[in-house]
Amino acid sequence: MHITLADIKRGEKGIILDVSSEEIPFKLLEMGCLPGNPVELLQVAPFADPMYLNINGTHLAIRKDTAKHILIELSDG
Amino acid sequence: MAKQINVALIGNPNTGKTSVFNALTGLNQKVGNYPGITVEKKEGICKLPKGLKAHIIDLPGTYSLNASSLDESVVIELLLNQQHKDFPDVAVVVTDVENLKRNLLLYTQIKDLEIPTILAINMADRMTYKGIQLDIPYLEKELQTKIALISTRKNKGIDHLKELITNYKALSTQACLEASEIDKPYFEGLQKAFPNQLLYKLWLVITQDVNFGTLERQDIDAIQDFKTKSKADLKRLQQKETIKRYQFINNTLKKGQTIDLSSAKDLRIKLDRILTHKVFGYLIFFGILMLIFQAIYDWAELPMEFIDGAFASLSEWVKASLPSGAFTDLVAEGVIPGIGGVVIFIPQIAFLFLFISILEETGYMSRVVFLMDKIMRRFGLSGKSVVPLMSGTACAIPAIMATRNIENWKERLITILVTPFTTCAARLPVYLIIIALVIPEGTLFGLSYKALTLMLLYLIGFVTAVLSAKLLNNILNIKSKSYFVVEMPNYKLPLFKNVALTVIEKTKSFVFGAGKIILAISIVLWFLASYGPGDQFNNAEEIITIEYANQNVSEDDLQQKIAAHKLEHSFIGITGRAIEPVIKPLGYDWKIGIALISSFAAREVFVGTLATIYSVGSDDEDTIKNRMAKEKHPVLGTPLFNLASGISLLLFYAFAMQCMSTLAIVKRETNSWKWPLYQLVIMTAFAYIVALIAYQVLK
């Protein structure tokens, strides 16, 4: 099932399928937010925003607005 | 002279690059600015084996060679310009063993520039703890470099790194992958057009946003023809390049690095569960803030009283031991109180930077950014605005510079505009002395009234900052994308050496930076207060003696009346009385007026100014505080510093824009005089109105 990163819940993991490079900062790509890389939602701030993620081994926080532009596929575990 | 080689330290933020710098240079370092811009430039000297010396530059942290900020563009500017006097003979890329994959991206880019490069893998002491094993010979071969496994925490591997730097000539200058494969025809054409130029260099010049600093523009203009690709095409190509680099890194690490997750222990998860918790996270943050204020007020009080007293006795001693005359007066009444007015802030500034640097060092600051983002966004700010607003409690200048990592221009501009409302260290001495004079003794919930007043003033500053941000958010019509990326680094125990060096460095730059101004102003003030035009000043003795001839006045009283008369008719007295009508409704006299004017050079001058003015012509050497307490209202005869005028002064200082250096920095960061002028006029007018209301209500 294809969903965006903004839809996943705390503790869920997935694989990045696509990122719309016009909508997200290039810096995020450089930090490893690229198709094929794993992602996990570690923690959310109140109102589920921003989101504290582990993307490809890098721990970072982004806003929900940005996460909407990252397409992922949920994986088990 | 021994031969000196240039070494550049390059690395992502949070890799401990500065610790490596500190380990290499120790106290042999200085912090300055890059010419023309406010990016901090750290450089130092390191002694190497074989009598070599290395000149080490700690470049600003960057994730890649694609600059998205002024700080990052400094890195590129240096690495692209072989003529630059600091151009590195050897680059040391500092990486964190736990984030090797990401950290290597920058490394592969540096390698493409064909600069001799050493790979320093830091925090090697955490490898067993994290279940990480590295095949160093394999990695050295694939990455075409020499690797130094180091631990700045355990002080290991530094000598090895020095040895590698010494033998830099043996390093390979080969790139470790062919990035140009992403679009062969394009890059071949580019190379053909500029056969003498390095391909990756050309590519960087083409793809960089051109709105930064002083990058050598001839190169860019020369390849204007090649800007045939659209911006979107270039961006796609950059993405392809990044993917290609990651593929290479992934393949290399697959063989060169093994991570046994079962033996990895993670403190991060446990700590994050509490520190970023929806309730406890905020409570802990608030608790830490309380602790900081308590420290600044209570713990710093004793050393401050000591300093105040020491300078008073020094003045006295100078007066007693040197032959009397104009020079002695200048030293005892101008120079010494002036220096005292600077030195007295050291305890508080040191405490503040101690806390801020510990919060940064431990990685806790990023959690605060995470927790506060959503709330701050309601006011048009970003979670990242918390750091400037907190640093603003030290000084608005570094705070405004710290806004650079806010990606969104509107959020950044608003942060810059409201940061001067936060209570900077320069306001602190003004607050402290006035609070000490006008706020009564007593406690509430175990905190003294005085500490509470101080906390309230910090709170007022912060609330005003946030509310004006909200206002600006509604007024300013700027469209910009809401970008927000913040790295959440591992928790680390702060390194004593790093914290100590930060505290020393920041305190030193305050003392010598602000100190010079304060001292100069103190001396000028002393002259203006000791000399005056016309008969009233020059014949003060006669005038007063005649006036009080028939009254029974003691010799001492007479002398004091003469001194007061002289001061009133000195240059400074004339100026002060000229502005008195404007400030009288706020409860101030002309002496405070002078202090207000001189505060525009720097707020902290206030105390020094009053100290200088009150000590001119007074024989009894006393502390600044006691002198201020003795001042009487010229008409009413009640103490000049009472609750009403005190609160009015506190509020005036809380809101007014009184710092020329801040205005200059705002001009530089916003690249326009418009914003600093708005700040000056609006903040000061607001301060005047609030102070006026406070005095009229309380008096």
Side-chain angles (χ1 to χ4, degrees), chain B residues 3 21 25 55 158 194 290 298 415 509 580 601:
Chain B
K3 187 178 148 34
F21 177 71
T25 61
H55 168 241
I158 300 294
F194 302 94
M290 299 272 281
D298 270 3
T415 311
S509 79
E580 202 176 38

Side-chain angles (χ1 to χ4, degrees), chain B residues 191-463:
Chain B
Q191 186 72 86
K192 229 175 248 160
F194 302 94
N196 300 326
Q197 291 280 1
L198 198 60
L199 197 53
Y200 184 60
K201 206 164 160 177
L202 292 169
W203 174 237
L204 274 182
V205 175
I206 291 173
T207 51
Q208 293 316 298
D209 274 340
V210 285
N211 55 358
F212 51 77
T214 50
L215 183 71
E216 297 277 324
R217 289 304 308 273
Q218 307 121 317
D219 290 348
I220 301 176
D221 295 337
I223 46 182
Q224 207 55 265
D225 298 347
F226 264 88
K227 289 214 156 190
T228 45
K229 295 221 176 223
S230 72
K231 255 204 139 122
D233 278 342
L234 282 176
K235 215 172 169 187
R236 224 160 287 144
L237 215 51
Q238 275 184 295
Q239 187 176 346
K240 264 177 111 176
E241 180 201 341
T242 310
I243 293 175
K244 171 124 187 120
R245 289 184 191 279
Y246 267 116
Q247 275 168 356
F248 166 77
I249 294 164
N250 282 337
N251 289 337
T252 308
L253 288 182
K254 218 173 258 170
K255 283 189 197 158
Q257 176 185 246
T258 46
I259 302 179
D260 181 6
L261 278 177
S262 62
S263 67
K265 302 179 193 76
D266 213 340
L267 183 66
R268 169 200 287 270
I269 297 171
K270 282 180 204 151
L271 276 175
D272 272 341
R273 212 167 280 155
I274 307 164
L275 294 178
T276 63
H277 188 272
K278 284 173 193 175
V279 179
F280 301 127
Y282 294 98
L283 287 178
I284 291 168
F285 180 48
F286 193 67
I288 289 173
L289 287 183
M290 299 272 281
L291 180 75
I292 295 176
F293 294 133
Q294 187 71 18
I296 290 174
Y297 193 77
D298 270 3
W299 305 353
E301 203 181 312
L302 209 66
M304 290 182 74
E305 268 175 18
F306 170 77
I307 293 168
D308 200 7
F311 273 89
S313 342
L314 185 65
S315 270
E316 200 174 353
W317 179 82
V318 166
K319 267 200 166 171
S321 357
L322 292 182
S324 65
F327 177 74
T328 305
D329 282 354
L330 172 64
V331 173
E333 296 170 356
V335 177
I336 293 175
I339 297 176
V342 182
V343 173
I344 198 164
F345 309 142
I346 291 178
Q348 281 156 337
I349 288 183
F351 268 125
L352 200 63
F353 282 114
L354 177 75
F355 280 103
I356 287 181
S357 79
I358 288 175
L359 295 186
E360 296 261 15
E361 274 267 311
T362 49
Y364 178 70
M365 210 63 122
S366 300
R367 274 68 185 182
V368 175
V369 170
F370 171 73
L371 277 177
M372 299 299 287
D373 184 60
K374 186 78 183 184
I375 301 167
M376 300 299 275
R377 233 183 301 164
R378 289 213 182 133
F379 299 99
L381 297 164
S382 151
K384 292 186 181 180
S385 310
V386 174
V387 182
L389 289 177
M390 277 181 68
S391 325
T393 57
C395 175
I397 294 160
I400 285 167
M401 279 157 61
T403 61
R404 280 190 192 143
N405 67 350
I406 300 175
E407 295 89 345
N408 179 315
W409 168 243
K410 188 177 177 184
E411 290 172 351
R412 183 170 166 223
L413 178 65
I414 294 178
T415 311
I416 290 175
L417 292 178
V418 305
T419 293
F421 275 123
T422 55
T423 305
C424 67
R427 287 186 178 103
L428 204 53
V430 183
Y431 287 179
L432 289 174
I433 205 146
I434 294 170
I435 287 175
L437 283 172
V438 305
I439 303 294
E441 299 290 340
T443 58
L444 191 70
F445 306 123
L447 286 166
S448 69
Y449 286 157
K450 296 184 182 192
L452 279 172
T453 310
L454 186 71
M455 227 158 79
L456 209 63
L457 282 164
Y458 272 89
L459 202 67
I460 287 175
F462 188 74
V463 168

